[in-house]
Amino acid sequence: MSSYDVICERIHAGHAPRWCARWERATACVACVVEMIDRPDVSAVRKRAALVCVARAEAVRELLYCEETRGVNFTCSLLRMLSCCVELTLLDQAVEVMVQMTLDKPQFLDFILDNIHSQLSGGGRLNGFMFLGKLMDCHPALSQTLISSHLCVLECVCAGLLVSDEEVKVAVCYVLFRIWSSMSAVHMLPNTLRHKMCVLLLHTLSNTQTTALTINCLGVLKQMLQYSDVVCVLMSVGECVEEQLLDQQPLPLIIKKLLLSAQDSVQLVSIRCVCAVLIYSPARFSTSFIQADLPEFLFESVCSSSDMMMWWIFRCLLLMSEDPLFFSQCHSVYGIESLVRSLKETLGKANTEVQKQGLELLIAILDRQPAGVCLFPTGSEFSAVADVIIKGVASSCLQVSIHAMRAAAFLLRPHHQCRPVQWSEVRRVVESVLCKCSDHPSERAEGLLLHTLACFDAACRLAEVYVCECSMNDSVCSASQQQDTLETLCVYLLHCCDSTFIPTVTRACERLSSPQLLQVFLSILCRQFSLCPDHMTSFSRKLVSSGFIRLTLENKAQLCSENRKASLNLICCEFLIKLCMCVFAHLHNVTTELQDHVECVLQECLASLCCSVSDWCCVLLDSSESIRNTQYCIIYLLYASLLHGHMLLCDAEVFSSVLQFISVQDVSDVSVPSPVQCCVVYLLSVTHQSCSHLDTSDVRSISKALSCSPLLFSFSSVHPSILSFIFCYPELWERLGVSVLSGCLSAGSGAEDGETRSPLLQLLCDHPAALLSMLVVLCEADAAVAHRAEVVLRCFVWSSDSNSSCDVSHQMKSALLNLLQKLTHTDFRVCVLLDVLSVLQSNTTAQSEMNNAEFKLLYHVSNLVAKVNSSDSELLLSVINCLYCFLSVCPSHCTDRVVSLLLGNIRLMEVLENVFSRSSSSSSSSLQCCSLLLLATLISLQHTLSAQVYRNITVDLHKIVRQLAFRKRHTDTLLLMCRMRLLQVWLDVDMCSLVCVCQSAAPVRSVDDALYPLCYSGAQMLMTALCGLMLQKQDVMMSSTVNCLRSLIGFLLRRDTVIAQHMVCQPWTRFLLFSLLSCGGNITLHPAVLTLITLLVCVGGDVSEWKTEVQSVCEEVETQGVTQINDNSLNTLRLLLTQCCALAPPDDLNMRMENLLESLQHQQPCDSSPPQHMLCVDGVCVLLSDFTVNTQQTASSSVL
């Protein structure tokens, strides 16, 4: 077209050349173009070509604008074409030219609008509305121009909606869309015209037949709904009589009709329009849409394949769910299944926005659903929604996961549970939430942690509700499996709280204290006390020891001071009360008075206690009466925390503050409640070791305060530290010791309980002064308490050594003397007192002086023998044991006096003889042991001191030997050793003691005469028995046996050297050594084995005979090294090597032994004397030196 000239040959000759313009490669005559438009004889094709030239050639338009008249005429021609032209392509080209002209010369716009108004007022044409729409596309400000200066045009536009031609209505709607797209133009619209547009639009939508008109109307409606006042107009159309003249429906019904169409685009825009209405006021407008049953359709359409559609459906339903009518008409019940199914599909896609919107809708339904209507009546429905939530939690998008966690928290509400409750599904939901939280560290997802805690709290709350129901109504949990599952879930929740949330939240609070996080977390901890009461003892102790009292108090002080965060303050107080009450309730034998007072004080004062822990010292020093309960509250908190090893304040601060608190109360003459006093004493007792010793005034204040409550220690158990504290200060234990111990013994099951007995035993060991108070309790308390004191004292006597100082020991002995003088021998307490005296005496050093009280005690105990019935084995054991202790540890200058006293007691000698004469079955093993040891000591000391004997004891020597030889497997080890001890002493005095007379037949053979009263067979039997006992390889048994064997060999050497050498050289002796040395290690270098080899070498007088055994010892020493050998073995080894070297051994062995002796010289010499202290074994006091190898005696025996 551009290659041809645009001229009209018929008329072009009359036009001046100035109207011609070059256009591309052709010539265009503007005058021809103007005249051609109106000529009917010019074809539409040529007209269109001319218009194309005008539209594209700027030079042509410039010539056209030169004469205004020609331009106006040309415009009028084009406008006339709008009303009469039927050629669409020509019409479109004419519109394009006019639009271009308005762009070039805006002054044409008003002229065109005036002409358009004329056309539209005359009946209107589709082309006019379309042209107006294109003008508005090209001129954004035209909307304001129409309203400001051409409002009549808009009136005509509105009238166009009343015509029957829907194509015209489509064009009209487009014009309206352009107007409502301009915010400034909308604000300029008169209210009447605005209202009229709303009415006409709804009328048009109510009667539309074509999709194009529907879409355009919805477009206009969508733009209108951006303005709240217009929304109100649209929702109220039809209420006026004038409006009812038009055939239109309310907007909700119109939308419902549109939603029923099969076109997705119409449905989508319709839903968006509903959302646009509801977003302004859901409570005001949602009722109309709900009554129109829109939720039903939306739930049916929720599984759409379009993500956009699903998002807007979710959004629309979410807005309507704010109206209670949504739930009262059961739309949520009918639609929940479709929603769950849609969410399941949506979560498998990649559009996270749709997922979040769907989960928001689920959250709203779960949150707002009335409790009386169950959404999930069956387990399968509950499992389905649980699966969706678990899938959402596992999403890779953190925001989707958080939305799913929120939904989980609402799902776990009690009224959403079916019957029976699906506890396994509940656990699955909790596990998925915990798994997601563990995958995202709290440092990067604080919000995730908060929502995780909220979900977990909901699970705990759900379990708590059903636990309470089960406790009140057994029928709720009639099925045992249901109950078991609930209990399992409760234990699981406690485990998660312990292993996951406590460390996680603690770390989070260390970085930054979050009130929301802390509030939910403390709520979870509070619920654990209801869920798992059986596990709360250990759990509470763990919380306290981990510092949760401090954590709660510090956050409470930081966040809740000055009446801030009231809800957080409330939950902090609730947690602290439950924690402290659990701690106090599980104290051993805690009183009801203590629990009630603690709970009352905590409930009254915790809410107002918002100061930091570091400020507590100042609070305790305040003497104001108004804060007295607050001070008690602080003391209880300190007590509960310190009781399980966590210090809120350092020991020095606690001790000084509490001590000054006591002093202030003393000065103010205030009576401190007994429960508070118990805690005060405990705090002082635990923390006093880190401070200096209390002065007299402080002790007096404490004593006065505690003495004001005589029942303070009567009905509750006393902590061991309190006992230790009281008995550290004489003024305290003198006034309180008896009452404290009586309270301990009267509490609970008494001394038979190990938990009660062990602290008392430790107290008696650490503080001998407590023994005095315990003796007073034994003698002055009632029968039950006295019996428990007896049990404790007996355990102390049998299992412990007293480490009392000399002064305390003398005090106790004086007290014992007074008590024994008051009691008769038939009183059960006499045995206990004697046993205590035995322990005290056994720990008295032999170098100490015996005072007057001790001699009186010895005399009193000795006289008891005459009063004791021979059948009373228990009292006899205590008496003889006590006498043996006196005799064993008495000073050397007092020994003759003690021995004379005992030997002069004829009844004592009769009792000892009676014990030996009775069979082992009728006499206790302990009594026999004690009698044997006493007799052996008397024989030894009488022989040494040549003391006078008034009555001797007849003993069957051969019976004792036979018992050692044939009954050792059926006899206690201690009894065997005591018998060997008696034989050892008897052999050392050549069996010629005046104290003990042997029952033995007259000797028949000369060999028996030499060994009388032992005789040859008895010596041989004893030798064999001792060898057999050595083979048992028990440490003390070997020492006792070699001591007796040494005394036997010495006895034989003194009586007949030939017999002695003959017995020593028997094969069993070499077999004994072979058996012992074959064990190697500690057995080879045992002092007893080394002593035995020394004896054999010395008796034989030649090392060669025992060369193999000596070499075995040397090899073992070289293998171990002298530095690894204990002191006793070193002393015995040194004696062995010295004796062997003195007997001219073979050269190689001699050199070897000399090298060993030289290496022994580099070792620091140790004391070779046997230990002199006593031990209590099975109720028998034993002098340890009697059963230890004496290297000094070994050295002297080698000379024999």
Side-chain angles (χ1 to χ4, degrees):
M1 187 69 187
S2 61
S3 59
Y4 296 95
D5 295 333
V6 182
I7 58 176
C8 181
E9 293 82 357
R10 301 173 191 172
I11 58 177
H12 179 63
H15 297 153
R18 65 185 181 89
W19 295 109
C20 292
R22 295 295 299 175
W23 176 58
E24 295 183 357
R25 289 175 294 177
T27 302
C29 178
V30 174
C32 292
V33 171
V34 172
E35 293 182 20
M36 286 171 58
I37 298 302
D38 287 331
R39 292 177 67 88
D41 57 343
V42 179
S43 66
V45 174
R46 295 196 65 182
K47 289 181 179 181
R48 180 176 180 278
L51 291 176
V52 169
C53 175
V54 174
R56 297 181 182 179
E58 184 177 357
V60 175
R61 294 199 303 275
E62 289 294 333
L63 289 176
L64 183 63
Y65 301 149
C66 288
E67 290 185 6
E68 183 177 354
T69 304
R70 190 177 294 276
V72 169
N73 292 335
F74 181 70
T75 303
C76 291
S77 300
L78 294 178
L79 289 172
R80 284 192 297 272
M81 191 179 294
L82 291 178
S83 59
C84 62
C85 181
V86 295
E87 180 64 35
L88 293 180
T89 56
L90 179 58
L91 183 62
D92 291 340
Q93 195 61 51
V95 169
E96 180 182 353
V97 170
M98 286 190 290
V99 169
Q100 187 61 47
M101 289 177 67
T102 60
L103 292 174
D104 295 340
K105 298 291 183 178
Q107 58 269 26
F108 283 113
L109 190 58
D110 288 333
F111 175 76
I112 292 175
L113 290 176
D114 290 338
N115 281 271
I116 289 178
H117 172 253
S118 300
Q119 290 188 15
L120 295 181
S121 60
R125 291 288 186 271
L126 173 62
N127 297 337
F129 290 117
M130 292 178 65
F131 174 54
L132 183 59
K134 290 187 177 182
L135 281 177
M136 299 182 75
D137 288 340
C138 295
H139 298 276
L142 184 58
S143 299
Q144 301 177 45
T145 303
L146 289 173
I147 296 173
S148 61
S149 57
H150 296 279
L151 196 60
C152 55
V153 177
L154 288 182
E155 294 286 352
C156 296
V157 170
C158 292
L161 291 175
L162 295 175
V163 301
S164 58
D165 189 352
E166 291 204 351
E167 289 187 4
V168 174
K169 293 180 180 181
V170 169
V172 170
C173 287
Y174 185 78
V175 173
L176 293 176
F177 175 80
R178 298 303 306 176
I179 292 174
W180 284 94
S181 297
S182 173
M183 184 177 298
S184 57
V186 172
H187 290 307
M188 295 171 61
L189 270 176
N191 290 333
T192 54
L193 185 58
R194 184 182 306 186
H195 186 82
K196 183 177 181 179
M197 288 182 180
C198 293
V199 173
L200 292 175
L201 179 66
L202 292 184
H203 166 71
T204 305
L205 266 176
S206 300
N207 300 278
T208 180
Q209 300 295 325
T210 61
T211 301
L213 178 59
T214 301
I215 291 176
N216 277 19
C217 287
L218 288 175
V220 177
L221 178 63
K222 179 174 173 294
Q223 292 300 118
M224 287 182 170
L225 292 176
Q226 294 181 14
Y227 306 95
S228 57
D229 55 336
V230 178
V231 171
C232 296
V233 173
L234 289 171
M235 292 299 294
S236 61
V237 167
E239 297 177 359
C240 299
V241 177
E242 294 82 359
E243 295 171 358
Q244 293 177 357
L245 297 176
L246 293 176
D247 182 17
Q248 83 262 345
Q249 296 175 334
L251 181 59
L253 293 180
I254 295 173
I255 296 295
K256 180 181 179 181
K257 181 187 71 172
L258 296 176
L259 289 176
L260 294 176
S261 67
Q263 297 180 355
D264 291 343
S265 58
V266 173
Q267 292 178 345
L268 177 60
V269 178
S270 301
I271 294 173
R272 293 184 65 175
C273 290
V274 175
C275 292
V277 172
L278 296 179
I279 200 170
Y280 288 106
S281 180
R284 180 178 178 183
F285 301 127
S286 59
T287 301
S288 301
F289 292 104
I290 294 173
Q291 290 175 343
D293 291 331
L294 257 69
E296 181 179 355
F297 167 81
L298 294 176
F299 276 120
E300 290 177 356
S301 306
V302 80
C303 293
S304 171
S305 59
S306 169
D307 289 346
M308 180 78 71
M309 174 74 79
M310 292 179 66
W311 192 94
W312 283 105
I313 290 176
F314 289 150
R315 177 64 175 165
C316 187
L317 288 171
L318 179 61
L319 292 170
M320 284 192 285
S321 67
E322 298 183 27
D323 192 333
L325 186 64
F326 180 85
F327 298 96
S328 61
Q329 290 191 354
C330 298
H331 289 294
S332 57
V333 176
Y334 299 144
I336 190 66
E337 184 178 355
S338 299
L339 174 60
V340 171
R341 187 168 57 251
S342 173
L343 279 174
K344 187 175 182 180
E345 297 177 2
T346 302
L347 290 170
K349 300 178 181 179
N351 195 327
T352 57
E353 293 300 323
V354 179
Q355 296 171 5
K356 289 190 289 185
Q357 195 69 25
L359 289 171
E360 283 284 357
L361 175 59
L362 179 61
I363 292 169
I365 292 176
L366 293 174
D367 181 24
R368 301 164 187 165
Q369 177 67 21
V373 183
C374 183
L375 287 173
F376 315 105
T378 65
S380 60
E381 293 174 327
F382 187 87
S383 298
V385 71
D387 289 338
V388 167
I389 289 176
I390 292 172
K391 191 173 183 180
V393 170
S395 172
S396 58
C397 177
L398 187 60
Q399 291 300 318
V400 174
S401 297
I402 290 177
H403 279 71
M405 288 180 184
R406 291 175 56 205
F410 289 112
L411 176 66
L412 296 179
R413 288 182 175 178
H415 64 273
H416 289 318
Q417 310 307 307
C418 60
R419 293 299 176 96
V421 179
Q422 304 298 304
W423 296 115
S424 59
E425 297 298 327
V426 172
R427 177 164 179 169
R428 286 180 57 226
V429 172
V430 174
E431 287 175 346
S432 66
V433 171
L434 291 179
C435 181
K436 187 66 177 181
C437 184
S438 63
D439 293 340
H440 290 74
S442 57
E443 292 84 355
R444 299 197 304 265
E446 293 289 351
L448 181 66
L449 177 58
L450 179 61
H451 288 290
T452 302
L453 286 172
C455 179
F456 191 81
D457 184 44
C460 294
R461 181 172 59 247
L462 173 65
E464 184 181 30
V465 169
Y466 281 90
V467 166
C468 294
E469 285 188 10
C470 291
S471 62
M472 293 186 296
N473 185 7
D474 294 337
S475 62
V476 175
C477 294
S478 57
S480 60
Q481 183 179 3
Q482 175 79 0
Q483 177 70 10
D484 292 342
T485 307
L486 175 58
E487 293 176 358
T488 303
L489 177 66
C490 291
V491 174
Y492 169 74
L493 294 176
L494 177 61
H495 172 72
C496 294
C497 182
D498 184 22
S499 61
T500 302
F501 289 118
I502 287 180
T504 303
V505 177
T506 303
R507 288 193 300 268
C509 291
E510 288 174 354
R511 294 190 303 271
L512 180 64
S513 296
S514 169
Q516 299 85 355
L517 196 69
L518 190 63
Q519 183 170 342
V520 179
F521 177 58
L522 292 179
S523 174
I524 292 173
L525 293 180
C526 287
R527 299 187 194 282
Q528 304 308 311
F529 291 90
S530 302
L531 298 183
C532 299
D534 295 338
H535 297 78
M536 280 302 102
T537 302
S538 58
F539 185 64
S540 298
R541 290 172 181 171
K542 184 173 182 179
L543 288 177
V544 175
S545 62
S546 301
F548 266 78
I549 292 182
R550 172 184 287 277
L551 175 69
T552 307
L553 289 170
E554 292 294 354
N555 281 280
K556 182 174 179 294
Q558 177 184 351
L559 301 172
C560 303
S561 59
E562 300 178 357
N563 297 323
R564 296 177 299 158
K565 308 290 183 184
S567 57
L568 176 59
N569 192 12
L570 184 64
I571 195 66
C572 287
C573 296
E574 181 184 355
F575 168 68
L576 288 173
I577 291 174
K578 287 188 175 183
L579 180 60
C580 292
M581 292 310 301
C582 185
V583 169
F584 280 95
H586 290 91
L587 293 177
H588 184 58
N589 292 327
V590 65
T591 62
T592 305
E593 178 188 3
L594 175 61
Q595 293 187 67
D596 293 343
H597 192 267
V598 171
E599 186 172 11
C600 179
V601 168
L602 293 180
Q603 288 179 347
E604 177 184 348
C605 303
L606 266 180
S608 59
L609 184 63
C610 291
C611 61
S612 176
V613 175
S614 59
D615 298 330
W616 284 5
C617 297
C618 299
V619 178
L620 289 175
L621 298 180
D622 197 330
S623 59
S624 303
E625 185 178 355
S626 59
I627 65 166
R628 191 160 297 151
N629 279 349
T630 302
Q631 293 173 331
Y632 297 161
C633 177
I634 290 174
I635 288 175
Y636 284 143
L637 292 172
L638 288 172
Y639 174 76
S641 183
L642 197 57
L643 189 65
H644 296 294
H646 182 76
M647 295 186 298
L648 294 176
L649 297 170
C650 67
D651 285 352
E653 289 179 322
V654 174
F655 184 81
S656 61
S657 300
V658 174
L659 187 60
Q660 294 183 49
F661 168 77
I662 288 292
S663 301
V664 169
Q665 305 305 315
D666 184 22
V667 173
S668 303
D669 198 19
V670 175
S671 178
V672 180
S674 296
V676 179
Q677 290 184 1
C678 288
C679 297
V680 165
V681 175
Y682 173 79
L683 293 175
L684 291 174
S685 64
V686 172
T687 60
H688 82 283
Q689 295 179 352
S690 63
C691 304
S692 58
H693 199 75
L694 291 177
D695 55 29
T696 305
S697 60
D698 293 331
V699 174
R700 188 178 298 111
S701 298
I702 296 173
S703 178
K704 179 181 177 181
L706 299 182
S707 300
C708 293
S709 300
L711 300 179
L712 179 60
F713 305 109
S714 300
F715 305 106
S716 62
S717 62
V718 183
H719 196 274
S721 61
I722 298 179
L723 297 174
S724 178
F725 174 70
I726 290 177
F727 283 96
C728 278
Y729 302 96
E731 185 172 347
L732 290 180
W733 67 260
E734 287 173 1
R735 300 183 64 175
L736 304 171
V738 174
S739 61
V740 169
L741 294 178
S742 298
C744 289
L745 293 171
S746 63
S749 58
E752 291 82 358
D753 184 7
E755 293 184 1
T756 305
R757 185 170 62 241
S758 297
L760 292 177
L761 292 177
Q762 189 63 41
L763 176 70
L764 295 178
C765 293
D766 296 340
H767 300 280
L771 195 54
L772 287 173
S773 299
M774 187 65 77
L775 292 175
V776 176
V777 173
L778 174 68
C779 297
E780 297 181 359
D782 57 66
V785 175
H787 172 69
R788 293 167 182 169
E790 176 198 0
V791 174
V792 173
L793 286 171
R794 287 193 180 278
C795 293
F796 167 72
V797 169
W798 293 341
S799 61
S800 302
D801 294 334
S802 173
N803 55 357
S804 59
S805 64
C806 183
D807 293 338
V808 176
S809 179
H810 288 163
Q811 293 178 18
M812 287 190 288
K813 289 178 182 179
S814 299
L816 285 171
L817 177 60
N818 294 331
L819 295 173
L820 286 171
Q821 290 173 343
K822 294 177 182 179
L823 301 175
T824 63
H825 68 280
T826 57
D827 197 313
F828 74 94
R829 290 172 284 197
V830 173
C831 290
V832 183
L833 296 177
L834 290 174
D835 291 339
V836 173
L837 179 58
S838 298
V839 173
L840 291 174
Q841 194 63 28
S842 65
N843 286 276
T844 303
T845 60
Q847 290 76 21
S848 61
E849 295 287 338
M850 285 186 68
N851 56 24
N852 187 41
E854 290 176 315
F855 275 111
K856 288 182 179 180
L857 277 171
L858 175 61
Y859 181 77
H860 184 84
V861 175
S862 178
N863 288 340
L864 276 178
V865 179
K867 304 175 184 179
V868 177
N869 192 330
S870 300
S871 61
D872 192 351
S873 300
E874 183 178 5
L875 183 55
L876 276 177
L877 172 62
S878 299
V879 172
I880 296 175
N881 204 22
C882 188
L883 293 175
Y884 172 67
C885 290
F886 269 102
L887 187 60
S888 299
V889 299
C890 68
S892 58
H893 64 278
C894 300
T895 304
D896 55 346
R897 185 177 175 184
V898 176
V899 172
S900 298
L901 176 63
L902 296 181
L903 291 177
N905 192 333
I906 306 299
R907 176 56 182 164
L908 174 61
M909 310 306 285
E910 291 175 353
V911 169
L912 291 177
E913 187 175 46
N914 186 37
V915 171
F916 296 141
S917 63
R918 285 187 292 176
S919 62
S920 59
S921 60
S922 61
S923 180
S924 69
S925 173
S926 298
L927 180 58
Q928 292 183 53
C929 292
C930 193
S931 301
L932 288 167
L933 292 175
L934 178 60
L935 180 58
T937 306
L938 284 173
I939 291 173
S940 177
L941 294 176
Q942 188 278 330
H943 181 76
T944 302
L945 302 172
S946 300
Q948 185 177 357
V949 178
Y950 298 93
R951 187 194 188 285
N952 53 31
I953 299 173
T954 303
V955 178
D956 189 346
L957 175 63
H958 294 284
K959 179 181 179 181
I960 297 177
V961 175
R962 286 195 300 271
Q963 287 174 338
L964 289 176
F966 303 114
R967 295 186 58 81
K968 54 180 176 288
R969 293 186 178 180
H970 307 286
T971 307
D972 292 340
T973 300
L974 181 60
L975 182 55
L976 289 174
M977 293 191 298
C978 291
R979 286 170 177 167
M980 287 189 288
R981 174 62 182 164
L982 177 61
L983 288 176
Q984 174 191 343
V985 174
W986 210 352
L987 290 169
D988 287 340
V989 299
D990 281 343
M991 294 191 173
C992 297
S993 174
L994 296 177
V995 179
C996 186
V997 177
C998 179
Q999 289 181 354
S1000 179
V1004 178
R1005 298 176 297 173
S1006 59
V1007 68
D1008 293 332
D1009 184 49
L1011 301 180
Y1012 184 82
L1014 186 57
C1015 77
Y1016 180 80
S1017 61
Q1020 190 176 29
M1021 185 183 300
L1022 180 57
M1023 177 70 77
T1024 305
L1026 294 176
C1027 290
L1029 292 171
M1030 281 284 289
L1031 289 174
Q1032 292 187 6
K1033 302 172 186 175
Q1034 297 179 4
D1035 185 21
V1036 183
M1037 177 66 77
M1038 292 173 65
S1039 299
S1040 302
T1041 304
V1042 80
N1043 285 339
C1044 186
L1045 188 60
R1046 180 183 56 229
S1047 297
L1048 174 60
I1049 294 175
F1051 171 76
L1052 293 177
L1053 288 172
R1054 290 191 298 271
R1055 291 295 183 94
D1056 192 324
T1057 307
V1058 176
I1059 295 176
Q1061 292 179 346
H1062 172 72
M1063 286 193 176
V1064 167
C1065 295
Q1066 291 297 321
W1068 63 69
T1069 306
R1070 192 170 296 278
F1071 175 74
L1072 171 63
L1073 282 177
F1074 174 78
S1075 299
L1076 294 173
L1077 296 175
S1078 298
C1079 298
N1082 295 331
I1083 297 296
T1084 301
L1085 299 180
H1086 193 281
V1089 176
L1090 298 176
T1091 300
L1092 177 59
I1093 297 175
T1094 305
L1095 288 172
L1096 296 177
V1097 170
C1098 292
V1099 171
D1102 186 10
V1103 182
S1104 301
E1105 185 177 355
W1106 306 99
K1107 179 180 177 182
T1108 303
E1109 288 74 12
V1110 175
Q1111 285 180 336
S1112 297
V1113 172
C1114 293
E1115 290 177 0
E1116 188 64 34
V1117 173
E1118 292 168 351
T1119 300
Q1120 291 192 19
V1122 293
T1123 58
Q1124 302 298 323
I1125 304 175
N1126 58 53
D1127 293 340
N1128 291 335
S1129 296
L1130 280 176
N1131 292 329
T1132 314
L1133 176 62
R1134 187 179 286 110
L1135 291 173
L1136 170 61
L1137 296 177
T1138 302
Q1139 294 296 329
C1140 290
C1141 289
L1143 296 176
D1147 294 340
D1148 56 341
L1149 182 58
N1150 185 40
M1151 183 179 297
R1152 194 173 189 180
M1153 292 190 293
E1154 287 180 352
N1155 291 335
L1156 290 177
L1157 279 173
E1158 184 179 355
S1159 62
L1160 289 175
Q1161 291 177 357
H1162 298 291
Q1163 297 296 314
Q1164 184 177 2
C1166 55
D1167 186 11
S1168 61
S1169 60
Q1172 295 298 318
H1173 61 276
M1174 301 186 74
L1175 296 177
C1176 187
V1177 182
D1178 295 336
V1180 179
C1181 289
V1182 178
L1183 189 62
L1184 192 58
S1185 60
D1186 291 342
F1187 302 100
T1188 306
V1189 176
N1190 192 337
T1191 55
Q1192 294 176 339
Q1193 293 183 8
T1194 302
S1196 63
S1197 65
S1198 63
V1199 182
L1200 298 176

